[in-house]
Structure formats: C-alpha cells, structure tokens
Amino acid sequence: MTLAFTFPGQGSQFVGMGRELAESFSSARAVFEEVDDSLSQNLSKMMWDGPIEELTLTSNTQPALMACGIAAMRSLKAEFGVDITEAKYVAGHSLGEYTALCAAGSLSLSDTAKLLRIRGDAMQAAVPVGAGAMAALLGASVEDAEAAAKAGQTKGICQIANDNAVGQIVLSGEKDAVQAACDAAKEMGVKKAMMLNVSAPFHCDMMAPAAKAMKEALADTVFEAPLLPVINNVQASPVTDPEKLRDDLVAQVTGRVRWRESVQWMHANEIETLAEPGCGKVLTVMLRRIVKGMKGVTLNTAEGLEAFATELKG
C-alpha cells in the first residue's frame, strides 16, 4: 500500500470528538493533556461534553481538530507500531496543514496548539461580523468559479477560497461581492450556488490582518525539516524546506486551498491510499469526487486504527 496521511480542516468537529481514542489509549490521552496544558484551558472537556456553540468557535475548533489528528497518529505508533514514515507524504486541508506539520515532526505539539489558537483568534478578528461571506458552487468548474468571482469583484473582494473537489468550489470575500458571484454562477448554469453559514470569510484578501499576525507568530516558532514531504495548500506539490513551509503557512491564510490539485498530484505520483486520522470523514468523501478508484480510510476509532495497522503490515 503506497500511503499518504491527510488531515481535515474546519467542519469535521463534533461534541464527543476524540473521546473514544482517549478512553482506549494512554498515548491519545497524553496528547489531549498536553494540548490542554499548552493552552491553559480544559479544551478536551469541551471537545467531549460541549457545548457545541463554544466548540465551533474558530479559536477552539482549530486546536481541537489538530489534537484529534495527532492523538490518532501517536496511538497508531504506540499501540500498533505504525510510524508516520510508513507514508510517502502528508497533507492537510487548511488548518489540517498544521496537523500534518506536527505529525511530520516540523512543529512541536505545544507550538502547534498555540499557533492554531492565535490563527483562530486572528481569523475571527480580521473582519467585522457580517462584512464577509463564503459560498459553495456545486457542479462548477474552476473556470466557472473564476468567471463568477470576476463578476462578484465589481462589488468588492471575491476569490476562490477552496478548490475542494471536482465540482465543489468555495468562494470567499465581501458579502455583496460573494452574493453577486452566486447570482452570476446561477446565470451561467452552475448547478447550485449557495451562501454558507460561516463566521468569517476565510482564505481571501480580507484575511490580510490574520496573515500579518501569523507571520509574526511563525517567525518566533522553531521549524524542523519534516520527516517526509508535505503536500501543502499553496504549492499543491511536495515541500520539505522548513523556511518555505513557514512562508507558505502565512500565504495560506489569504490564499486558495488547492486540495483537488494536491490529491491529483499524489495520485499521479503513485499514492494508492489516503488515510484521514483524527475526526470525521470529510476528506475521504471528497476523495471520491477527485479520483476514481483511489482508496480512502478514516482513522478515528480504536477499531479503525487496529484494522488499518493490520492491513498495512499484511
């Protein structure tokens, strides 16, 4: 099995996330405890007991999802002898890129938790509530989405934020501009264009204040060379240089998440299986829309981790 580990972004969180791993494995519990200590917050209690309104705040969601991904990876190694280097690549969707970098040894767990808290706070504070918006275009090509965004730009900032999968593209920007882009997409015959219920317009130029905050935070953070190449959101191709990885995390805040291209690159370079550790199955479901026949595996239960390790070892 030629393998890559891929880590999800916002949207995969739910009350109870990570609880089974913590109850099953001491290695997972240790991850949640270290994240709690790093943030001086009982984040794990919020993850397991809610309330969902607090868990879905960006500043909580981001470190929570990262903690679940790292808990799964450390449990794989401690309990079943599966190391990150069994894979050829790692990748992560938006905040998931931080999880990938932590899993690959570029960032310490404590630093990753603190960076994601800063990132969540900065992204939320970058734009006044109600000023920005995001919208999903379903059934649209990249060319359709670019044309719709261009139409929206007559009203203000409007950009492709996420190129998630074939026919699944997300726009981000000023509210009136994104609405105008949706109207244009419908006129062009795009299957569905719908505004999303989000707290801020991520991955567009409105996030420039957050990018500045992350540049300052990342400048003070120790980056090591990853144990294996990272297919990052900005390049959609392998990156191993620590300084390039650092710079691209800043660019990622306002830039497009090139997830479809990242998966297609891995498929073209002989990756057969994408494993999604931590929480949910968003990336595994997206995979079906990107590459036919490529295998996706979710790793978020004790049973799932054991079955994966057994298959991997033949």
PDB file of all heavy atoms in Angstrom, residues 21-54:
ATOM      1  N   LEU A  21     -10.757   7.612  21.422  1.00  0.00           N
ATOM      2  CA  LEU A  21      -9.309   7.413  21.393  1.00  0.00           C
ATOM      3  C   LEU A  21      -8.710   7.622  22.776  1.00  0.00           C
ATOM      4  O   LEU A  21      -7.843   6.857  23.218  1.00  0.00           O
ATOM      5  CB  LEU A  21      -8.667   8.373  20.391  1.00  0.00           C
ATOM      6  CG  LEU A  21      -8.977   8.140  18.910  1.00  0.00           C
ATOM      7  CD1 LEU A  21      -8.317   9.211  18.058  1.00  0.00           C
ATOM      8  CD2 LEU A  21      -8.520   6.754  18.458  1.00  0.00           C
ATOM      9  N   ALA A  22      -9.170   8.663  23.481  1.00  0.00           N
ATOM     10  CA  ALA A  22      -8.645   8.947  24.820  1.00  0.00           C
ATOM     11  C   ALA A  22      -8.984   7.834  25.808  1.00  0.00           C
ATOM     12  O   ALA A  22      -8.173   7.499  26.679  1.00  0.00           O
ATOM     13  CB  ALA A  22      -9.198  10.277  25.322  1.00  0.00           C
ATOM     14  N   GLU A  23     -10.173   7.266  25.678  1.00  0.00           N
ATOM     15  CA  GLU A  23     -10.580   6.187  26.583  1.00  0.00           C
ATOM     16  C   GLU A  23      -9.867   4.887  26.263  1.00  0.00           C
ATOM     17  O   GLU A  23      -9.698   4.028  27.135  1.00  0.00           O
ATOM     18  CB  GLU A  23     -12.100   6.000  26.502  1.00  0.00           C
ATOM     19  CG  GLU A  23     -12.883   7.165  27.123  1.00  0.00           C
ATOM     20  CD  GLU A  23     -14.383   7.024  26.955  1.00  0.00           C
ATOM     21  OE1 GLU A  23     -14.817   6.171  26.127  1.00  0.00           O
ATOM     22  OE2 GLU A  23     -15.134   7.759  27.619  1.00  0.00           O
ATOM     23  N   SER A  24      -9.429   4.728  25.015  1.00  0.00           N
ATOM     24  CA  SER A  24      -8.808   3.479  24.582  1.00  0.00           C
ATOM     25  C   SER A  24      -7.295   3.454  24.758  1.00  0.00           C
ATOM     26  O   SER A  24      -6.720   2.399  25.027  1.00  0.00           O
ATOM     27  CB  SER A  24      -9.142   3.212  23.102  1.00  0.00           C
ATOM     28  OG  SER A  24     -10.538   3.129  22.888  1.00  0.00           O
ATOM     29  N   PHE A  25      -6.640   4.620  24.592  1.00  0.00           N
ATOM     30  CA  PHE A  25      -5.183   4.627  24.507  1.00  0.00           C
ATOM     31  C   PHE A  25      -4.570   5.724  25.382  1.00  0.00           C
ATOM     32  O   PHE A  25      -4.935   6.894  25.269  1.00  0.00           O
ATOM     33  CB  PHE A  25      -4.733   4.849  23.064  1.00  0.00           C
ATOM     34  CG  PHE A  25      -5.324   3.885  22.070  1.00  0.00           C
ATOM     35  CD1 PHE A  25      -6.042   4.345  20.976  1.00  0.00           C
ATOM     36  CD2 PHE A  25      -5.176   2.509  22.228  1.00  0.00           C
ATOM     37  CE1 PHE A  25      -6.587   3.465  20.051  1.00  0.00           C
ATOM     38  CE2 PHE A  25      -5.714   1.624  21.318  1.00  0.00           C
ATOM     39  CZ  PHE A  25      -6.427   2.094  20.224  1.00  0.00           C
ATOM     40  N   SER A  26      -3.609   5.357  26.204  1.00  0.00           N
ATOM     41  CA  SER A  26      -2.919   6.342  27.044  1.00  0.00           C
ATOM     42  C   SER A  26      -2.137   7.337  26.188  1.00  0.00           C
ATOM     43  O   SER A  26      -1.975   8.505  26.565  1.00  0.00           O
ATOM     44  CB  SER A  26      -1.980   5.640  28.020  1.00  0.00           C
ATOM     45  OG  SER A  26      -1.000   4.883  27.321  1.00  0.00           O
ATOM     46  N   SER A  27      -1.657   6.890  25.024  1.00  0.00           N
ATOM     47  CA  SER A  27      -0.908   7.784  24.136  1.00  0.00           C
ATOM     48  C   SER A  27      -1.806   8.903  23.613  1.00  0.00           C
ATOM     49  O   SER A  27      -1.359  10.048  23.443  1.00  0.00           O
ATOM     50  CB  SER A  27      -0.312   6.994  22.964  1.00  0.00           C
ATOM     51  OG  SER A  27      -1.289   6.154  22.372  1.00  0.00           O
ATOM     52  N   ALA A  28      -3.069   8.594  23.365  1.00  0.00           N
ATOM     53  CA  ALA A  28      -4.017   9.624  22.934  1.00  0.00           C
ATOM     54  C   ALA A  28      -4.341  10.570  24.085  1.00  0.00           C
ATOM     55  O   ALA A  28      -4.371  11.800  23.908  1.00  0.00           O
ATOM     56  CB  ALA A  28      -5.303   8.979  22.405  1.00  0.00           C
ATOM     57  N   ARG A  29      -4.546  10.010  25.276  1.00  0.00           N
ATOM     58  CA  ARG A  29      -4.836  10.858  26.439  1.00  0.00           C
ATOM     59  C   ARG A  29      -3.720  11.857  26.675  1.00  0.00           C
ATOM     60  O   ARG A  29      -3.955  13.020  27.016  1.00  0.00           O
ATOM     61  CB  ARG A  29      -5.047  10.002  27.697  1.00  0.00           C
ATOM     62  CG  ARG A  29      -6.369   9.256  27.715  1.00  0.00           C
ATOM     63  CD  ARG A  29      -6.694   8.727  29.100  1.00  0.00           C
ATOM     64  NE  ARG A  29      -5.706   7.776  29.610  1.00  0.00           N
ATOM     65  CZ  ARG A  29      -5.683   6.487  29.286  1.00  0.00           C
ATOM     66  NH1 ARG A  29      -6.594   5.989  28.451  1.00  0.00           N
ATOM     67  NH2 ARG A  29      -4.778   5.670  29.808  1.00  0.00           N
ATOM     68  N   ALA A  30      -2.491  11.410  26.492  1.00  0.00           N
ATOM     69  CA  ALA A  30      -1.342  12.285  26.721  1.00  0.00           C
ATOM     70  C   ALA A  30      -1.347  13.474  25.760  1.00  0.00           C
ATOM     71  O   ALA A  30      -0.955  14.585  26.135  1.00  0.00           O
ATOM     72  CB  ALA A  30      -0.042  11.496  26.566  1.00  0.00           C
ATOM     73  N   VAL A  31      -1.795  13.259  24.534  1.00  0.00           N
ATOM     74  CA  VAL A  31      -1.886  14.352  23.558  1.00  0.00           C
ATOM     75  C   VAL A  31      -2.895  15.404  24.028  1.00  0.00           C
ATOM     76  O   VAL A  31      -2.604  16.605  24.044  1.00  0.00           O
ATOM     77  CB  VAL A  31      -2.274  13.821  22.162  1.00  0.00           C
ATOM     78  CG1 VAL A  31      -2.641  14.977  21.226  1.00  0.00           C
ATOM     79  CG2 VAL A  31      -1.142  12.999  21.568  1.00  0.00           C
ATOM     80  N   PHE A  32      -4.075  14.947  24.406  1.00  0.00           N
ATOM     81  CA  PHE A  32      -5.112  15.888  24.844  1.00  0.00           C
ATOM     82  C   PHE A  32      -4.672  16.647  26.096  1.00  0.00           C
ATOM     83  O   PHE A  32      -4.942  17.855  26.228  1.00  0.00           O
ATOM     84  CB  PHE A  32      -6.431  15.155  25.077  1.00  0.00           C
ATOM     85  CG  PHE A  32      -7.005  14.555  23.829  1.00  0.00           C
ATOM     86  CD1 PHE A  32      -7.249  13.191  23.740  1.00  0.00           C
ATOM     87  CD2 PHE A  32      -7.300  15.344  22.727  1.00  0.00           C
ATOM     88  CE1 PHE A  32      -7.772  12.636  22.578  1.00  0.00           C
ATOM     89  CE2 PHE A  32      -7.818  14.802  21.557  1.00  0.00           C
ATOM     90  CZ  PHE A  32      -8.054  13.436  21.485  1.00  0.00           C
ATOM     91  N   GLU A  33      -3.976  15.958  26.993  1.00  0.00           N
ATOM     92  CA  GLU A  33      -3.492  16.620  28.215  1.00  0.00           C
ATOM     93  C   GLU A  33      -2.438  17.683  27.880  1.00  0.00           C
ATOM     94  O   GLU A  33      -2.449  18.777  28.458  1.00  0.00           O
ATOM     95  CB  GLU A  33      -2.909  15.577  29.171  1.00  0.00           C
ATOM     96  CG  GLU A  33      -3.973  14.699  29.825  1.00  0.00           C
ATOM     97  CD  GLU A  33      -3.394  13.471  30.515  1.00  0.00           C
ATOM     98  OE1 GLU A  33      -2.139  13.344  30.542  1.00  0.00           O
ATOM     99  OE2 GLU A  33      -4.171  12.641  31.012  1.00  0.00           O
ATOM    100  N   GLU A  34      -1.558  17.378  26.937  1.00  0.00           N
ATOM    101  CA  GLU A  34      -0.515  18.345  26.572  1.00  0.00           C
ATOM    102  C   GLU A  34      -1.128  19.575  25.896  1.00  0.00           C
ATOM    103  O   GLU A  34      -0.694  20.708  26.142  1.00  0.00           O
ATOM    104  CB  GLU A  34       0.526  17.700  25.655  1.00  0.00           C
ATOM    105  CG  GLU A  34       1.673  18.644  25.337  1.00  0.00           C
ATOM    106  CD  GLU A  34       2.810  17.997  24.551  1.00  0.00           C
ATOM    107  OE1 GLU A  34       2.878  16.751  24.491  1.00  0.00           O
ATOM    108  OE2 GLU A  34       3.631  18.757  24.008  1.00  0.00           O
ATOM    109  N   VAL A  35      -2.131  19.355  25.051  1.00  0.00           N
ATOM    110  CA  VAL A  35      -2.799  20.493  24.396  1.00  0.00           C
ATOM    111  C   VAL A  35      -3.514  21.349  25.436  1.00  0.00           C
ATOM    112  O   VAL A  35      -3.443  22.584  25.408  1.00  0.00           O
ATOM    113  CB  VAL A  35      -3.765  19.997  23.302  1.00  0.00           C
ATOM    114  CG1 VAL A  35      -4.652  21.141  22.788  1.00  0.00           C
ATOM    115  CG2 VAL A  35      -2.978  19.384  22.141  1.00  0.00           C
ATOM    116  N   ASP A  36      -4.209  20.704  26.379  1.00  0.00           N
ATOM    117  CA  ASP A  36      -4.872  21.449  27.458  1.00  0.00           C
ATOM    118  C   ASP A  36      -3.861  22.302  28.216  1.00  0.00           C
ATOM    119  O   ASP A  36      -4.102  23.484  28.496  1.00  0.00           O
ATOM    120  CB  ASP A  36      -5.551  20.484  28.432  1.00  0.00           C
ATOM    121  CG  ASP A  36      -6.824  19.859  27.876  1.00  0.00           C
ATOM    122  OD1 ASP A  36      -7.292  20.294  26.808  1.00  0.00           O
ATOM    123  OD2 ASP A  36      -7.355  18.927  28.523  1.00  0.00           O
ATOM    124  N   ASP A  37      -2.729  21.712  28.559  1.00  0.00           N
ATOM    125  CA  ASP A  37      -1.700  22.433  29.313  1.00  0.00           C
ATOM    126  C   ASP A  37      -1.126  23.590  28.492  1.00  0.00           C
ATOM    127  O   ASP A  37      -0.896  24.690  29.023  1.00  0.00           O
ATOM    128  CB  ASP A  37      -0.572  21.487  29.718  1.00  0.00           C
ATOM    129  CG  ASP A  37      -0.988  20.501  30.796  1.00  0.00           C
ATOM    130  OD1 ASP A  37      -2.040  20.733  31.439  1.00  0.00           O
ATOM    131  OD2 ASP A  37      -0.273  19.498  30.991  1.00  0.00           O
ATOM    132  N   SER A  38      -0.912  23.358  27.213  1.00  0.00           N
ATOM    133  CA  SER A  38      -0.321  24.382  26.348  1.00  0.00           C
ATOM    134  C   SER A  38      -1.217  25.607  26.224  1.00  0.00           C
ATOM    135  O   SER A  38      -0.739  26.744  26.121  1.00  0.00           O
ATOM    136  CB  SER A  38      -0.031  23.810  24.957  1.00  0.00           C
ATOM    137  OG  SER A  38       0.899  22.752  25.022  1.00  0.00           O
ATOM    138  N   LEU A  39      -2.526  25.357  26.206  1.00  0.00           N
ATOM    139  CA  LEU A  39      -3.493  26.446  26.031  1.00  0.00           C
ATOM    140  C   LEU A  39      -4.021  26.980  27.362  1.00  0.00           C
ATOM    141  O   LEU A  39      -4.817  27.927  27.370  1.00  0.00           O
ATOM    142  CB  LEU A  39      -4.674  25.968  25.172  1.00  0.00           C
ATOM    143  CG  LEU A  39      -4.326  25.516  23.750  1.00  0.00           C
ATOM    144  CD1 LEU A  39      -5.577  25.005  23.035  1.00  0.00           C
ATOM    145  CD2 LEU A  39      -3.687  26.658  22.955  1.00  0.00           C
ATOM    146  N   SER A  40      -3.599  26.362  28.477  1.00  0.00           N
ATOM    147  CA  SER A  40      -4.133  26.717  29.806  1.00  0.00           C
ATOM    148  C   SER A  40      -5.662  26.712  29.783  1.00  0.00           C
ATOM    149  O   SER A  40      -6.324  27.625  30.284  1.00  0.00           O
ATOM    150  CB  SER A  40      -3.607  28.099  30.238  1.00  0.00           C
ATOM    151  OG  SER A  40      -2.203  28.095  30.306  1.00  0.00           O
ATOM    152  N   GLN A  41      -6.210  25.655  29.205  1.00  0.00           N
ATOM    153  CA  GLN A  41      -7.660  25.536  29.022  1.00  0.00           C
ATOM    154  C   GLN A  41      -8.021  24.052  29.013  1.00  0.00           C
ATOM    155  O   GLN A  41      -7.270  23.235  28.472  1.00  0.00           O
ATOM    156  CB  GLN A  41      -8.071  26.172  27.682  1.00  0.00           C
ATOM    157  CG  GLN A  41      -9.541  26.013  27.316  1.00  0.00           C
ATOM    158  CD  GLN A  41      -9.807  26.361  25.859  1.00  0.00           C
ATOM    159  OE1 GLN A  41      -8.884  26.477  25.059  1.00  0.00           O
ATOM    160  NE2 GLN A  41     -11.070  26.527  25.500  1.00  0.00           N
ATOM    161  N   ASN A  42      -9.168  23.720  29.582  1.00  0.00           N
ATOM    162  CA  ASN A  42      -9.630  22.332  29.514  1.00  0.00           C
ATOM    163  C   ASN A  42     -10.379  22.121  28.196  1.00  0.00           C
ATOM    164  O   ASN A  42     -11.592  21.908  28.167  1.00  0.00           O
ATOM    165  CB  ASN A  42     -10.524  22.011  30.712  1.00  0.00           C
ATOM    166  CG  ASN A  42     -10.702  20.509  30.905  1.00  0.00           C
ATOM    167  OD1 ASN A  42     -10.412  19.711  30.006  1.00  0.00           O
ATOM    168  ND2 ASN A  42     -11.190  20.115  32.062  1.00  0.00           N
ATOM    169  N   LEU A  43      -9.619  22.199  27.103  1.00  0.00           N
ATOM    170  CA  LEU A  43     -10.223  22.066  25.780  1.00  0.00           C
ATOM    171  C   LEU A  43     -10.809  20.673  25.582  1.00  0.00           C
ATOM    172  O   LEU A  43     -11.863  20.504  24.956  1.00  0.00           O
ATOM    173  CB  LEU A  43      -9.175  22.345  24.698  1.00  0.00           C
ATOM    174  CG  LEU A  43      -9.661  22.278  23.244  1.00  0.00           C
ATOM    175  CD1 LEU A  43     -10.718  23.335  22.960  1.00  0.00           C
ATOM    176  CD2 LEU A  43      -8.477  22.433  22.279  1.00  0.00           C
ATOM    177  N   SER A  44     -10.154  19.648  26.126  1.00  0.00           N
ATOM    178  CA  SER A  44     -10.640  18.277  25.932  1.00  0.00           C
ATOM    179  C   SER A  44     -12.029  18.089  26.537  1.00  0.00           C
ATOM    180  O   SER A  44     -12.871  17.391  25.962  1.00  0.00           O
ATOM    181  CB  SER A  44      -9.656  17.267  26.519  1.00  0.00           C
ATOM    182  OG  SER A  44      -9.419  17.526  27.884  1.00  0.00           O
ATOM    183  N   LYS A  45     -12.307  18.728  27.666  1.00  0.00           N
ATOM    184  CA  LYS A  45     -13.647  18.633  28.251  1.00  0.00           C
ATOM    185  C   LYS A  45     -14.684  19.240  27.313  1.00  0.00           C
ATOM    186  O   LYS A  45     -15.782  18.695  27.131  1.00  0.00           O
ATOM    187  CB  LYS A  45     -13.700  19.329  29.610  1.00  0.00           C
ATOM    188  CG  LYS A  45     -15.039  19.154  30.341  1.00  0.00           C
ATOM    189  CD  LYS A  45     -15.025  19.815  31.700  1.00  0.00           C
ATOM    190  CE  LYS A  45     -16.266  19.434  32.514  1.00  0.00           C
ATOM    191  NZ  LYS A  45     -17.533  19.677  31.818  1.00  0.00           N
ATOM    192  N   MET A  46     -14.345  20.374  26.695  1.00  0.00           N
ATOM    193  CA  MET A  46     -15.250  20.992  25.729  1.00  0.00           C
ATOM    194  C   MET A  46     -15.461  20.092  24.513  1.00  0.00           C
ATOM    195  O   MET A  46     -16.561  19.964  23.987  1.00  0.00           O
ATOM    196  CB  MET A  46     -14.690  22.342  25.279  1.00  0.00           C
ATOM    197  CG  MET A  46     -15.624  23.134  24.357  1.00  0.00           C
ATOM    198  SD  MET A  46     -14.785  24.562  23.641  1.00  0.00           S
ATOM    199  CE  MET A  46     -14.268  25.449  25.110  1.00  0.00           C
ATOM    200  N   MET A  47     -14.384  19.428  24.079  1.00  0.00           N
ATOM    201  CA  MET A  47     -14.486  18.531  22.936  1.00  0.00           C
ATOM    202  C   MET A  47     -15.431  17.374  23.230  1.00  0.00           C
ATOM    203  O   MET A  47     -16.197  16.951  22.360  1.00  0.00           O
ATOM    204  CB  MET A  47     -13.101  17.990  22.578  1.00  0.00           C
ATOM    205  CG  MET A  47     -12.157  19.043  22.014  1.00  0.00           C
ATOM    206  SD  MET A  47     -10.417  18.524  22.063  1.00  0.00           S
ATOM    207  CE  MET A  47     -10.449  17.087  21.004  1.00  0.00           C
ATOM    208  N   TRP A  48     -15.379  16.876  24.450  1.00  0.00           N
ATOM    209  CA  TRP A  48     -16.145  15.678  24.778  1.00  0.00           C
ATOM    210  C   TRP A  48     -17.547  15.974  25.296  1.00  0.00           C
ATOM    211  O   TRP A  48     -18.459  15.184  25.094  1.00  0.00           O
ATOM    212  CB  TRP A  48     -15.364  14.844  25.805  1.00  0.00           C
ATOM    213  CG  TRP A  48     -14.021  14.433  25.263  1.00  0.00           C
ATOM    214  CD1 TRP A  48     -13.681  14.285  23.947  1.00  0.00           C
ATOM    215  CD2 TRP A  48     -12.829  14.167  26.002  1.00  0.00           C
ATOM    216  NE1 TRP A  48     -12.362  13.932  23.818  1.00  0.00           N
ATOM    217  CE2 TRP A  48     -11.801  13.840  25.056  1.00  0.00           C
ATOM    218  CE3 TRP A  48     -12.512  14.148  27.360  1.00  0.00           C
ATOM    219  CZ2 TRP A  48     -10.502  13.516  25.430  1.00  0.00           C
ATOM    220  CZ3 TRP A  48     -11.213  13.827  27.732  1.00  0.00           C
ATOM    221  CH2 TRP A  48     -10.219  13.513  26.784  1.00  0.00           C
ATOM    222  N   ASP A  49     -17.727  17.140  25.949  1.00  0.00           N
ATOM    223  CA  ASP A  49     -19.012  17.443  26.587  1.00  0.00           C
ATOM    224  C   ASP A  49     -19.716  18.670  26.025  1.00  0.00           C
ATOM    225  O   ASP A  49     -20.867  18.928  26.388  1.00  0.00           O
ATOM    226  CB  ASP A  49     -18.809  17.647  28.100  1.00  0.00           C
ATOM    227  CG  ASP A  49     -18.238  16.419  28.783  1.00  0.00           C
ATOM    228  OD1 ASP A  49     -18.510  15.300  28.302  1.00  0.00           O
ATOM    229  OD2 ASP A  49     -17.502  16.576  29.787  1.00  0.00           O
ATOM    230  N   GLY A  50     -19.038  19.429  25.151  1.00  0.00           N
ATOM    231  CA  GLY A  50     -19.648  20.646  24.627  1.00  0.00           C
ATOM    232  C   GLY A  50     -19.504  21.802  25.597  1.00  0.00           C
ATOM    233  O   GLY A  50     -18.684  21.759  26.524  1.00  0.00           O
ATOM    234  N   PRO A  51     -20.309  22.877  25.369  1.00  0.00           N
ATOM    235  CA  PRO A  51     -21.370  22.978  24.380  1.00  0.00           C
ATOM    236  C   PRO A  51     -20.837  23.178  22.957  1.00  0.00           C
ATOM    237  O   PRO A  51     -19.747  23.706  22.774  1.00  0.00           O
ATOM    238  CB  PRO A  51     -22.153  24.220  24.841  1.00  0.00           C
ATOM    239  CG  PRO A  51     -21.126  25.055  25.537  1.00  0.00           C
ATOM    240  CD  PRO A  51     -20.205  24.099  26.212  1.00  0.00           C
ATOM    241  N   ILE A  52     -21.628  22.771  21.985  1.00  0.00           N
ATOM    242  CA  ILE A  52     -21.216  22.847  20.586  1.00  0.00           C
ATOM    243  C   ILE A  52     -20.959  24.291  20.163  1.00  0.00           C
ATOM    244  O   ILE A  52     -20.090  24.560  19.337  1.00  0.00           O
ATOM    245  CB  ILE A  52     -22.265  22.176  19.666  1.00  0.00           C
ATOM    246  CG1 ILE A  52     -21.759  22.094  18.220  1.00  0.00           C
ATOM    247  CG2 ILE A  52     -23.607  22.905  19.738  1.00  0.00           C
ATOM    248  CD1 ILE A  52     -20.544  21.232  18.014  1.00  0.00           C
ATOM    249  N   GLU A  53     -21.699  25.244  20.767  1.00  0.00           N
ATOM    250  CA  GLU A  53     -21.526  26.654  20.395  1.00  0.00           C
ATOM    251  C   GLU A  53     -20.106  27.128  20.709  1.00  0.00           C
ATOM    252  O   GLU A  53     -19.534  27.925  19.953  1.00  0.00           O
ATOM    253  CB  GLU A  53     -22.545  27.537  21.132  1.00  0.00           C
ATOM    254  CG  GLU A  53     -23.988  27.325  20.707  1.00  0.00           C
ATOM    255  CD  GLU A  53     -24.614  26.095  21.345  1.00  0.00           C
ATOM    256  OE1 GLU A  53     -24.023  25.525  22.311  1.00  0.00           O
ATOM    257  OE2 GLU A  53     -25.700  25.687  20.886  1.00  0.00           O
ATOM    258  N   GLU A  54     -19.536  26.657  21.802  1.00  0.00           N
ATOM    259  CA  GLU A  54     -18.163  27.038  22.145  1.00  0.00           C
ATOM    260  C   GLU A  54     -17.150  26.249  21.326  1.00  0.00           C
ATOM    261  O   GLU A  54     -16.128  26.782  20.892  1.00  0.00           O
ATOM    262  CB  GLU A  54     -17.914  26.829  23.639  1.00  0.00           C
ATOM    263  CG  GLU A  54     -18.628  27.838  24.525  1.00  0.00           C
ATOM    264  CD  GLU A  54     -18.182  27.740  25.979  1.00  0.00           C
ATOM    265  OE1 GLU A  54     -17.020  27.367  26.231  1.00  0.00           O
ATOM    266  OE2 GLU A  54     -19.003  28.020  26.848  1.00  0.00           O
TER     267      GLU A  54
END
